[in-house]
Amino acid sequence: MCELLGMSANVPTDICFSFSGLVRRGGETGPHKDGWGITFYEGKGCRSFKDPSPSFNSKVAELVKSYPIKSKSVISHIRQANRGGVNLENTHPFIRELWGRNWTYAHNGQLTGYEDLAMGYANPIGQTDSERAFCWIIDQLHKQYKQPPENMLEMFKLIASYADQLKKLGVFNMLLTDGEYVMCYCTNNLHWITRRAPFGKAQLIDEDMTVDFQQETSDSDIVTVIATRPLTKDEAWTKMHEGEFCVFHFGERVL
Amino acid sequence: MCELLGMSANVPTDICFSFSGLVRRGGETGPHKDGWGITFYEGKGCRSFKDPSPSFNSKVAELVKSYPIKSKSVISHIRQANRGGVNLENTHPFIRELWGRNWTYAHNGQLTGYEDLAMGYANPIGQTDSERAFCWIIDQLHKQYKQPPENMLEMFKLIASYADQLKKLGVFNMLLTDGEYVMCYCTNNLHWITRRAPFGKAQLIDEDMTVDFQQETSDSDIVTVIATRPLTKDEAWTKMHEGEFCVFHFGERVL
């Protein structure tokens, strides 16, 4: 099982706060020591930092913690390998271009029978069930839409129906983004929270550190954070149910 | 015009040496201040660091300089924008998956009439002539080979013929790799050198620093470096001619 973290915001937002908890969970306070990755969007471009080594002592993780990259859309993942070796090509998030957009994906869980998922437009580079499931989704979308969809929400409903099919193969908790929308799909472990001004103090579960969001943000800021488990003690996170999905557009839930 | 740097080696090799010269050329000793990127392969996986800001004062560049990532295949690029805005999505290298492999590409030069290049399998995310030309190459390859080619060298000859067509649109100096092979194509500015043991001392042109390769490598190491201009004073670089291409396989020239 792996840890997921996603963020969707209406202004470029520093992810360091929520991320520092996740980093400690990678091998130090949790068993997720087989790789770690994070993807930030800046406009249509995105930037990934990945490391197959445990995140709690990773040099790249240190950089991300100390480097305040601001983004509206972020996906991060800490891995405990169950399918595929521990190496860079098997490290989430995975990215593919579709319709001239970067699609970024991370998966938590384990699938059986995934070898039978037919590949076409996109093909896996590594050996994980996760990447193969992602390529299958991209392939289904490419078959359905030769051009970028006009109705994005209808498309995300379609992706949710693909996720329903993947859930039949096992545990499928997923984060997916094109840099504008952030989608999450839950089998058993996913929570989210939307923070709006005025922001109160929130305490990290893994660290003795308190961040006052009022100092970090303006009156109109909306920031949604999605995570395997709640990352803060002082806030009310929404627990997702089996088969449920959410789509956020720049912080606001739209589906 | 932009600066290119590529490396192909038979053992994972530290790129820091050749890279430190290129970094200084980005905005300090040269005019290439509109973005910078480098992609390292580790097996089939690859890792990119990119920054739309000048490389000579980039925090990410500092990390790469101080972080000894060892790789057999590397492509790097410093940009002076002539097509497309200065932002992350227009920053080289560009990457696409084809046949379950990561293909990484960087281009130096300027093309006209590139808007007419037909897109199909791959589509540009940014607005540069460079990325559109790359997508066109990927699309041609996908049309030609539905499966991974059995004869890779024949495929690279085909890519060279595509590059010949792109050269008709302007200046097309290119680096391309799938992590195993590194190809370079020259219109007007590209040099390469293959270093073999015993390695002598070599002095960087841009830095007052001398690296003794004998301390860095073993007897059987082969390292090829490809760059817009020679990066060292004390070595004989091969200048490429217009329309010429080379393909290196783990350091050795194979085409």
Side-chain angles (χ1 to χ4, degrees):
Chain A
M1 297 292 286
C2 320
E3 299 270 348
L4 294 172
L5 175 69
M7 191 195 69
S8 172
N10 66 340
V11 289
T13 300
D14 189 338
I15 190 71
C16 290
F17 171 72
S18 298
F19 185 66
S20 55
L22 196 77
V23 163
R24 285 180 61 94
R25 217 170 280 164
E28 193 172 17
T29 63
H32 311 286
K33 54 181 175 50
D34 296 329
W36 157 91
I38 187 164
T39 300
F40 305 84
Y41 279 76
E42 294 177 20
K44 294 173 77 181
C46 61
R47 175 195 306 283
S48 295
F49 295 101
K50 291 186 177 190
D51 215 325
S53 63
S55 61
F56 83 92
N57 65 359
S58 155
K59 265 192 149 182
V60 180
E62 273 306 312
L63 169 82
V64 175
K65 279 171 73 173
S66 64
Y67 192 86
I69 297 171
K70 291 188 179 296
S71 176
K72 294 183 183 177
S73 302
V74 177
I75 283 184
S76 176
H77 181 271
I78 293 186
R79 178 171 183 235
Q80 187 182 28
N82 47 44
R83 305 274 192 228
V86 176
N87 53 42
L88 189 59
E89 72 239 36
N90 288 336
T91 305
H92 306 225
F94 301 108
I95 301 181
R96 289 294 185 285
E97 174 261 308
L98 178 65
W99 310 313
R101 293 182 197 176
N102 280 309
W103 288 84
T104 300
Y105 156 104
H107 166 230
N108 160 301
Q110 192 166 352
L111 306 177
T112 54
Y114 64 94
E115 305 88 343
D116 299 331
L117 293 168
M119 296 293 104
Y121 178 72
N123 287 282
I125 293 164
Q127 299 80 42
T128 61
D129 49 355
S130 307
E131 189 190 12
R132 195 170 179 98
F134 176 44
C135 290
W136 180 78
I137 291 173
I138 292 289
D139 194 39
Q140 302 305 308
L141 288 173
H142 182 253
K143 278 181 188 158
Q144 196 69 29
Y145 300 98
K146 293 300 171 200
Q147 302 294 326
E150 289 184 13
N151 188 330
M152 289 293 283
L153 300 191
E154 285 305 311
M155 185 210 60
F156 280 110
K157 288 180 188 170
L158 202 60
I159 296 176
S161 75
Y162 302 149
D164 289 338
Q165 296 181 57
L166 292 167
K167 186 165 72 73
K168 292 177 185 167
L169 304 181
V171 175
F172 192 71
N173 300 302
M174 177 194 80
L175 294 178
L176 180 72
T177 182
D178 69 341
E180 284 199 20
Y181 294 86
V182 176
M183 175 182 184
C184 51
Y185 182 91
C186 178
T187 294
N188 59 0
N189 267 319
L190 218 46
H191 298 76
W192 62 271
I193 191 168
T194 300
R195 294 164 170 155
R196 296 169 195 275
F199 295 92
K201 282 185 188 291
Q203 195 181 351
L204 279 176
I205 288 178
D206 290 350
E207 303 259 9
D208 290 323
M209 185 179 91
T210 304
V211 173
D212 183 348
F213 275 92
Q214 286 181 300
Q215 293 176 4
E216 303 280 319
T217 52
S218 76
D219 283 355
S220 55
D221 288 6
I222 302 164
V223 182
T224 293
V225 178
I226 308 143
T228 303
R229 291 181 285 159
L231 286 168
T232 54
K233 284 178 180 170
D234 308 341
E235 296 175 294
W237 291 67
T238 302
K239 179 175 170 55
M240 293 180 70
H241 303 293
E242 183 176 340
E244 194 186 351
F245 74 99
C246 302
V247 178
F248 301 93
H249 187 243
F250 296 137
E252 289 283 10
R253 186 172 180 186
V254 291
L255 266 183
Chain B
M1 298 291 287
C2 321
E3 298 271 348
L4 294 173
L5 175 70
M7 191 193 71
S8 173
N10 66 340
V11 290
T13 300
D14 189 339
I15 191 71
C16 289
F17 170 73
S18 298
F19 185 66
S20 56
L22 196 77
V23 164
R24 286 180 58 94
R25 217 170 278 165
E28 193 171 18
T29 63
H32 311 288
K33 56 180 173 51
D34 295 329
W36 156 91
I38 185 163
T39 300
F40 305 84
Y41 279 75
E42 294 177 20
K44 294 174 76 181
C46 61
R47 176 194 303 284
S48 295
F49 295 101
K50 292 186 178 191
D51 217 325
S53 63
S55 61
F56 83 93
N57 66 358
S58 156
K59 267 193 147 182
V60 181
E62 272 306 311
L63 170 82
V64 175
K65 279 171 74 174
S66 63
Y67 191 87
I69 298 171
K70 291 187 179 295
S71 176
K72 293 182 183 176
S73 302
V74 177
I75 284 185
S76 177
H77 180 271
I78 294 186
R79 178 169 183 235
Q80 186 182 29
N82 48 45
R83 304 273 192 229
V86 177
N87 53 41
L88 189 57
E89 72 240 35
N90 288 335
T91 305
H92 307 224
F94 301 107
I95 300 181
R96 288 293 185 286
E97 175 261 310
L98 179 65
W99 310 313
R101 295 182 196 174
N102 280 310
W103 288 84
T104 301
Y105 155 104
H107 165 231
N108 161 301
Q110 192 166 352
L111 305 177
T112 54
Y114 64 95
E115 304 89 343
D116 298 331
L117 292 169
M119 295 293 103
Y121 179 72
N123 287 282
I125 293 165
Q127 298 80 43
T128 62
D129 49 354
S130 306
E131 190 190 13
R132 194 171 179 97
F134 176 45
C135 290
W136 180 78
I137 291 174
I138 291 289
D139 193 40
Q140 303 304 309
L141 287 174
H142 183 253
K143 279 181 189 157
Q144 195 69 30
Y145 299 99
K146 292 301 170 197
Q147 303 294 326
E150 289 184 14
N151 188 330
M152 290 293 283
L153 299 191
E154 285 305 311
M155 186 209 59
F156 280 110
K157 287 179 188 169
L158 202 59
I159 296 176
S161 75
Y162 303 149
D164 288 338
Q165 295 181 57
L166 292 168
K167 186 165 71 74
K168 292 176 185 167
L169 304 181
V171 174
F172 192 71
N173 300 302
M174 178 194 78
L175 294 178
L176 180 73
T177 181
D178 68 343
E180 284 199 20
Y181 295 85
V182 176
M183 175 181 184
C184 51
Y185 182 91
C186 177
T187 295
N188 59 0
N189 266 319
L190 219 45
H191 298 76
W192 62 271
I193 190 167
T194 299
R195 295 163 169 157
R196 296 170 194 275
F199 294 92
K201 284 183 187 292
Q203 196 181 351
L204 279 177
I205 288 179
D206 290 351
E207 304 258 11
D208 289 323
M209 185 179 90
T210 304
V211 173
D212 183 347
F213 276 92
Q214 286 181 300
Q215 293 175 3
E216 304 278 321
T217 52
S218 76
D219 284 355
S220 56
D221 289 5
I222 303 164
V223 182
T224 294
V225 178
I226 308 143
T228 302
R229 291 179 286 159
L231 286 168
T232 53
K233 283 178 180 171
D234 307 340
E235 296 176 294
W237 291 66
T238 302
K239 179 175 170 55
M240 294 180 69
H241 303 293
E242 184 176 340
E244 194 185 353
F245 73 99
C246 302
V247 178
F248 301 93
H249 187 243
F250 295 137
E252 288 284 10
R253 185 172 181 186
V254 290
L255 266 183

